Each structure stands twice: as C-alpha cells, then as structure tokens.
C-alpha cells in the first residue's frame, strides 16, 4: 500500500499533461536512482503500480562517439516529432568522472529549444560507473516516462566505443550515429556496436558530402558481409524482416530528418507485424531481471558483515603482493558461506 505522498505522485504522473506531471516524473526518477533502502522500497511499489500503464511508447536508442552530434539530432528530431503531435521524453546519460565521481549533466544546455517545450521531458542522469553507456536505472526511468504518456522515449548514451552496447538491450530500435570520416571499410567491418545497430546514420553530411557518401558505401557493404557471416536474421532477403540500413543527414540543418522518421516508422511497422518487436521486449525484460539479480548480489556481497570484516586485511595483502587477487576473492566469497570457485 503506497503512502499518501507516493499516491499523490502516482496520480499526478498518470493524469493529464501539466507542470504537476513533470514534477512527479522527475521526483519518481530521483526516487528510483536513490541508494537508500527505504527509497528503493517506495520506488518498487510505485513501479509495480505504474506497470499496467507502460509499454505503449516507441523506444529509440541513440548512440555514437563523442562529438558525433547525438544531442543535436535528438533536439531536431524531437521538435519534428512534437510538431507531428507526439510527446517526447529524452533520457540522457552523462559520463561520471572516475576521479571525483561527478557528472556535468549538461544535455539540457545542448537541447535548449527542446528542453523548454511543454510536450518534451529531458532527464540527464549520471552513469555512476555503470558500464555499457547507460545508467543503472535507465530502464526503470523509461517505464516511468511511458506511464506519464510520452509516446516516444529516446535514450541517449554516453559517447561509446565498440563494446558499449547496453542501450540495444532496452530499446526497440538501436540507432548508431557515425561521422563521415570515421574510418575506412576495415574499420567499418569491425564487430561490436556496428552489428547490433538497426539503423546507422552518417551525421554532419553537409560538411563533406563526398566523405559522407564514401562512409555510407563502406558501412553498407560491411553490413552485408556481417549479415551473411554473422547475424542470421540479416542473411536473408525476406521483405517482412527488417534489414539494417545506412543513411546520411545533417541534424544541424534538419536535412534528412523526415526520411529518418519514415525509416523508423517502417521499422516499427515491419517488426510489429512479424512479432519481432514484442519478442524483443520479452527478451529484454528477462535480461533486465538477471541484470538486477547480479547488481543485488554484488550489493549484498559488499554489505555482508563477514566480508566487511575480512576486506581490509585481504586488500592490504593483495596490495602488498603477499596474496594473489584470485585467492583473496575466493576467501571473501567463501565468507558469505558459499563456494563460488
């Protein structure tokens, strides 16, 4: 049973679009991101209550290296979608410093026009050391944004490399942004983030159209090879399945945005008709559960009394070179009463 304050948040969030709804959305996400145990209990109750009101949005993940223009694309696309009658939520992940632990959280500054629009909601969150380009509570925040009635939810990752692909495991379409001069055909064929992308967009094509054309050709040919040698879903030419495509645009000038949205709608139509979209969400929910189990076990391990008692001495021995790290890890795990190794 929710307390009166949380019940009020629930009612504000699921009501009509208003300043009260925006405040409720921000407060619930803050509650989700809290590490306090009482806040986690409240957040779990709210999330379960909101679950029947989720799942009605289209989830778009956008990734790319720093400086590729993710924020510019999101603002231009977001304003375009709002003009078409959509409500847009943006969950932007900002990298946290490995030294100070802080984050700038400056995405609203980059999306100046979109951030003040009444039909848009932008929430920057720190990655807080979570790998994969997203934050620990991004999935939960996505559900809350859906419950608030946003029919387009965009997840913007931190600037990623080849292995930071967690956003593909929580969205319906994974869009990878590339620069015109990002490399040759050998670079384009490297496996990792490239082979998971549903749509690859060459941004800043207005700067050097010839380079953008070459990049598009390199990546298109590479995707064909990856399809035949890698992902079996892309190895056939069935028209009722989506096959990754490559396109170029200029987010700054708004060139190519209508064509981009048409491609996204085509993806949604195909994947809904063949059942792949629903199946993808089911798989993502199962993966999300196991990810939370892993995180919970790690938290329980760190807070176990016997582990905390042994940790200073074993850490000192590892640092001094008198005990192997693997041996210390095994003893700490055994302190919980389980044989892990």
């Amino acid at each position: 049973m929710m307390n009166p304050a949380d019940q009020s948040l629930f009612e504000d969030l699921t009501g009509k679009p208003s300043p009260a709804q925006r405040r409720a959305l921000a407060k619930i996400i803050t509650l989700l991101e809290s590490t306090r145990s009482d806040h986690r209990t409240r957040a779990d109750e709210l999330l379960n209550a909101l679950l029947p009101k989720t799942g009605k949005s289209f989830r778009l993940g956008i990734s790319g290296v720093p400086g590729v223009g993710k924020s510019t694309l999101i603002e231009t696309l977001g304003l375009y979608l709002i003009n078409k009658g959509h409500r847009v939520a943006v969950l932007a992940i900002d990298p946290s410093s490995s030294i100070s632990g802080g984050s700038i959280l400056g995405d609203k500054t980059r999306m100046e026009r979109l951030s003040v629009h009444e039909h848009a909601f932008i929430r920057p969150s720190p990655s807080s050391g979570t790998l994969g380009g997203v934050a620990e509570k991004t999935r939960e925040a996505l559900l809350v944004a859906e419950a608030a009635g946003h029919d387009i939810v965009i997840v913007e990752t931190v600037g990623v490399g080849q292995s930071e692909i967690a956003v593909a495991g929580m969205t319906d379409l994974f869009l990878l942004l590339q620069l015109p001069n990002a490399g040759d055909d050998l670079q384009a064929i490297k496996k990792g983030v490239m082979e998971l992308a549903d749509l690859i967009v060459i941004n800043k094509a207005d700067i050097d159209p010839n380079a953008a054309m070459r990049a598009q050709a390199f990546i298109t040919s590479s995707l064909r090879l990856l399809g035949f040698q890698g992902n079996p879903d892309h190895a056939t030419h069935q028209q009722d399945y989506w096959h990754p495509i490559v396109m170029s645009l200029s987010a700054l000038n708004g060139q190519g945005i209508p064509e981009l949205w048409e491609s996204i709608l085509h993806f949604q139509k195909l994947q809904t008709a063949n059942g792949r979209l629903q199946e993808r969400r089911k798989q993502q929910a199962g993966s999300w559960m196991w990810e939370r189990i892993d995180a919970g076990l790690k938290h329980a391990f760190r807070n176990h009394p016997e582990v905390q008692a042994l940790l200073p001495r074993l850490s000192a021995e590892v640092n001094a070179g008198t005990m192997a790290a693997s041996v210390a890890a095994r003893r700490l795990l055994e302190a919980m009463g389980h044989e892990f190794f």
Side-chain angles (χ1 to χ4, degrees):
M1 190 70 179
M2 284 187 287
N3 62 44
D6 290 345
Q7 183 65 38
S8 178
L9 285 176
F10 175 87
E11 292 171 359
D12 286 342
L13 183 81
T14 56
K16 294 181 179 179
S18 65
Q21 186 187 65
R22 293 171 67 88
R23 286 194 297 270
L25 179 50
K27 286 181 178 180
I28 292 175
I29 294 177
T30 299
L31 199 63
L32 287 167
E33 293 176 343
S34 174
T35 57
R36 282 176 47 173
S37 58
D38 58 327
H39 285 179
R40 287 187 174 185
T41 301
R42 290 171 55 195
D44 287 346
E45 291 177 356
L46 274 167
L47 201 59
N48 277 333
L50 292 170
L51 210 55
K53 299 181 180 297
T54 65
K56 299 178 178 67
S57 77
F58 184 76
R59 306 166 182 176
L60 173 62
I62 296 182
S63 190
V65 297
V68 73
K70 296 187 294 294
S71 297
T72 304
L73 174 65
I74 290 171
E75 179 171 57
T76 306
L77 178 61
L79 292 171
Y80 175 82
L81 294 175
I82 288 172
N83 288 334
K84 283 186 164 291
H86 296 283
R87 294 182 65 208
V88 178
V90 179
L91 305 176
I93 316 304
D94 205 48
S96 297
S97 169
S98 58
I99 298 174
S100 67
S103 294
I104 296 175
L105 303 179
D107 295 276
K108 283 189 175 183
T109 304
R110 290 198 186 99
M111 306 178 206
E112 187 176 356
R113 291 178 296 158
L114 186 63
S115 63
V116 297
H117 204 291
E118 61 180 349
H119 294 302
F121 176 83
I122 300 177
R123 173 71 181 210
S125 296
S127 62
S128 300
T130 302
L131 300 178
V134 297
E136 183 182 7
K137 297 296 184 179
T138 301
R139 287 178 177 85
E140 289 93 331
L142 188 152
L143 294 177
V144 178
E146 287 183 340
H150 294 90
D151 60 329
I152 306 290
V153 181
I154 300 174
V155 181
E156 179 197 3
T157 72
V158 302
V160 301
Q162 285 283 357
S163 61
E164 294 168 289
I165 51 177
V167 70
M170 66 177 69
T171 53
D172 299 324
L173 186 149
F174 176 33
L175 187 157
L176 178 64
L177 269 182
Q178 292 281 76
L179 290 167
N181 294 302
D184 55 12
D185 48 353
L186 181 60
Q187 182 66 32
I189 204 173
K190 287 184 178 180
K191 292 189 177 184
V193 68
M194 187 77 73
E195 64 181 346
L196 289 180
D198 300 300
L199 183 59
I200 298 175
V201 174
I202 313 297
N203 192 22
K204 303 185 181 182
D206 55 309
I207 297 176
D208 190 341
N210 291 330
M213 189 181 302
R214 286 195 300 271
Q216 189 170 347
F218 284 149
I219 296 173
T220 299
S221 62
S222 300
L223 286 179
R224 287 199 194 98
L225 186 56
L226 287 177
F228 288 117
Q229 302 296 331
N231 193 331
D233 293 339
H234 303 157
T236 64
H237 295 285
Q238 292 175 272
Q239 295 301 310
D240 57 342
Y241 284 167
W242 174 262
H243 301 284
I245 63 173
V246 187
M247 59 189 305
S248 60
L249 54 75
S250 171
L252 185 63
N253 297 335
Q255 298 171 356
I257 296 298
E259 292 79 3
L260 170 63
W261 183 239
E262 284 301 317
S263 296
I264 293 172
L265 288 177
H266 182 52
F267 170 91
Q268 185 182 26
K269 181 180 178 180
L270 275 182
Q271 297 297 82
T272 301
N274 62 31
R276 292 296 182 95
L277 197 64
Q278 189 62 28
E279 184 61 29
R280 182 169 179 164
R281 288 195 175 187
K282 288 180 181 179
Q283 292 175 354
Q284 289 173 349
S287 299
W288 178 20
M289 181 188 73
W290 280 108
E291 183 181 301
R292 292 294 84 214
I293 290 172
D294 291 342
L297 287 172
K298 186 176 180 179
H299 182 265
F301 171 76
R302 287 182 175 275
N303 290 277
H304 193 280
E306 293 186 31
V307 170
Q308 289 183 331
L310 279 174
L311 189 58
R313 179 174 62 83
L314 295 183
S315 294
E317 292 186 29
V318 170
N319 292 336
T322 58
M323 180 181 292
S326 58
V327 175
R330 187 179 298 110
R331 291 186 181 177
L332 288 168
L333 290 168
E334 288 171 352
M336 290 187 69
H338 301 283
E339 188 71 47
F340 285 89
F341 293 124

